[in-house]
């Protein structure tokens, strides 16, 4: 009898089976996408990923003393999306920042910053340890343990993520009343509501009402959200009475550069994470419990 992966108690069998089943379809996963439907789908996914990324980046920017911002979130999301699309065996997997991960990121900052531990080298070790745990989970095929987890737990976790999205949006709007003035707060709320009404309304008009021909309704469904985001992003620049309102802007820095250079990021995008130069050996091992928690977050976040 020939030797197979099954003789090793499924050690590595999950990865082997994924590659075996997906490799024959790897080329067609990309060539089948050469049609018009990819254009509206790409535009929709781009904006539905961009908006929460900006919201969570704003949150991390405020709570990490401006160390972590939009540039880091967009860069990491883009790199992760490319890697997932090319090597994950499931090119339709949508990768982006979520509420639990952003909360985790700035909570780590709040815990380690008072003790003088450098944030980015420490986070680098958190992710390196988490990478090790992910490899162990993948090689050991421990993802199969999800079979014993009820749908109730997954639904609760999904509900939590949705509530974080809503809460962060409301929080950013409410901050305009305190950080700027009442006019800015009310104007921001009205623009946000109008964008939601137009985006949701275009979906309702295209899917549930029959006032136009089918191809016209399809245009509303495909591009309603995209047009709403673009229009109301430029709406504040239309002038008139809007020029009298001091609307808060998204804090951004130089393109393709870290949000904060200088002492906290002396090496730019590259993080010198090796012990002895920027981080102590003790902090390297202190990152392990944080990495375990992060691994559990990813375990549920990617599989719920």
């Amino acid at each position: 009898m020939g030797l197979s992966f099954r003789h090793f108690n499924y050690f590595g069998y999950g990865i082997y089976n994924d590659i075996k089943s997906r490799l024959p379809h790897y080329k067609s996963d990309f060539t089948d996408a050469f049609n018009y439907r990819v254009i509206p789908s790409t535009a929709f996914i781009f904006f539905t990923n961009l908006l929460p990324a900006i919201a969570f980046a704003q949150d991390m920017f405020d709570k990490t003393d401006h160390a972590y911002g939009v540039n880091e979130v967009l860069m990491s999301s883009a790199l992760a999306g490319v890697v997932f699309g090319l090597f994950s065996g499931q090119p339709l997997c949508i990768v982006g920042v979520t509420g639990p991960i952003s909360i985790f990121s700035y909570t780590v900052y709040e815990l380690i910053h008072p003790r003088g531990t450098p944030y980015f080298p420490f986070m680098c070790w958190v992710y390196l340890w988490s990478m090790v745990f992910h490899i162990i989970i993948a090689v050991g095929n421990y993802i199969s343990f999800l079979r014993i987890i009820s749908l109730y737990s997954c639904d609760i976790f999904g509900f939590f993520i949705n509530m974080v999205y809503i809460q962060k949006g409301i929080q950013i709007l409410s901050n305009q009343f305190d950080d700027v003035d009442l006019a800015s707060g009310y104007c921001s709320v009205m623009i946000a509501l109008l964008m939601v009404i137009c985006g949701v309304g275009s979906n309702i008009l295209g899917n549930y009402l029959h006032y136009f021909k089918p191809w016209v309704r399809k245009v509303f469904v495909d591009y309603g959200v995209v047009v709403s985001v673009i229009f109301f992003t430029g709406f504040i620049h239309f002038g008139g009475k809007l020029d009298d309102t001091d609307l808060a802007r998204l804090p951004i820095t130089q393109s393709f550069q870290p949000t904060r250079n200088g002492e906290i990021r002396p090496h730019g995008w590259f993080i010198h994470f090796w012990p002895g130069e920027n981080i102590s050996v003790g902090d390297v091992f202190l990152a392990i419990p944080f990495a375990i928690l992060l691994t559990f977050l990813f375990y549920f976040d990617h599989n719920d």
Side-chain angles (χ1 to χ4, degrees):
M1 184 173 60
L3 192 64
S4 70
F5 283 96
R6 297 178 185 272
H7 290 84
F8 295 95
N9 195 24
Y10 289 89
F11 185 80
Y13 184 75
I15 298 176
Y16 168 78
N17 193 45
D18 283 345
I19 296 175
K20 181 181 178 180
S21 61
R22 293 307 307 164
L23 194 58
H25 308 285
Y26 184 82
K27 182 179 179 180
S28 63
D29 284 338
F30 295 92
T31 57
D32 289 349
F34 292 144
N35 61 73
Y36 165 74
R37 296 306 309 162
V38 173
I39 298 176
S41 300
T42 302
F44 179 80
I45 292 175
F46 174 79
F47 283 101
T48 52
N49 268 339
L50 178 65
L51 295 181
I54 291 175
F56 292 131
Q58 172 74 63
D59 203 32
M60 289 189 286
F61 180 83
D62 294 335
K63 296 186 178 182
T64 59
D65 295 330
H66 305 170
Y68 205 120
V70 177
N71 294 9
E72 285 79 9
V73 171
L74 294 182
M75 176 70 77
S76 60
S77 298
L79 290 176
V82 171
V83 172
F84 261 77
L86 293 177
F87 303 110
S88 68
Q90 44 178 340
L92 294 181
C93 183
I94 301 172
V95 181
V97 64
T98 60
I101 302 303
S102 66
I103 294 173
F104 173 84
S105 297
Y106 66 69
T107 301
V108 172
Y109 182 87
E110 293 172 351
L111 291 174
I112 68 168
H113 183 67
R115 64 190 305 271
T117 301
Y119 177 64
F120 286 103
F122 184 81
M123 285 299 294
C124 187
W125 276 105
V126 170
Y127 286 111
L128 286 174
W129 284 116
S130 182
M131 177 190 69
V132 173
F133 298 145
H134 276 81
I135 293 175
I136 294 174
I137 291 174
V139 173
N141 204 31
Y142 298 133
I143 195 66
S144 59
F145 286 140
L146 278 174
R147 295 178 180 177
I148 64 176
I149 300 176
S150 67
L151 290 178
Y152 176 78
S153 301
C154 295
D155 290 341
I156 289 297
F157 191 79
F159 176 75
F160 166 68
I161 293 176
N162 290 330
M163 290 305 299
V164 170
Y165 277 117
I166 297 173
Q167 185 269 332
K168 291 301 178 185
I170 295 175
Q171 177 183 340
I172 291 176
L173 289 175
S174 63
N175 288 341
Q176 309 309 310
F177 292 93
D178 299 326
D179 297 341
V180 189
D181 53 30
L182 287 177
S184 174
Y186 283 119
C187 187
S188 298
V189 171
M190 288 304 301
I191 293 174
L193 289 176
L194 287 172
M195 187 178 73
V196 171
I197 291 172
C198 290
V200 175
S202 64
N203 183 70
I204 295 175
L205 181 64
N207 285 323
Y208 302 104
L209 302 180
H210 304 282
Y211 294 117
F212 301 98
K213 294 182 178 180
W215 70 268
V216 177
R217 298 200 304 269
K218 197 63 177 176
V219 171
F220 277 102
V221 174
D222 289 342
Y223 299 104
V225 173
V226 175
V227 172
S228 297
V229 172
I230 295 176
F231 177 82
F232 286 103
T233 299
F235 180 77
I236 62 174
H237 303 285
F238 285 179
K241 293 294 184 180
L242 289 172
D243 289 337
D244 300 330
T245 305
D246 184 19
L247 293 170
R249 301 291 198 272
L250 181 70
I252 58 175
T253 56
Q254 186 177 357
S255 300
F256 305 107
Q257 295 293 327
T259 298
R260 185 175 175 182
N261 284 310
E263 182 179 352
I264 196 169
R265 296 288 291 273
H267 306 290
W269 286 112
F270 298 96
I271 299 173
H272 288 200
F273 60 90
W274 40 88
E277 181 175 343
N278 288 320
I279 189 171
S280 66
V281 176
D283 288 333
V284 170
F285 289 96
L286 179 63
I288 293 179
F290 292 93
I292 294 174
L293 176 59
L294 180 65
T295 303
F296 276 111
L297 285 176
F298 277 127
Y299 189 87
F300 278 97
D301 203 1
H302 281 213
N303 298 285
D304 66 344

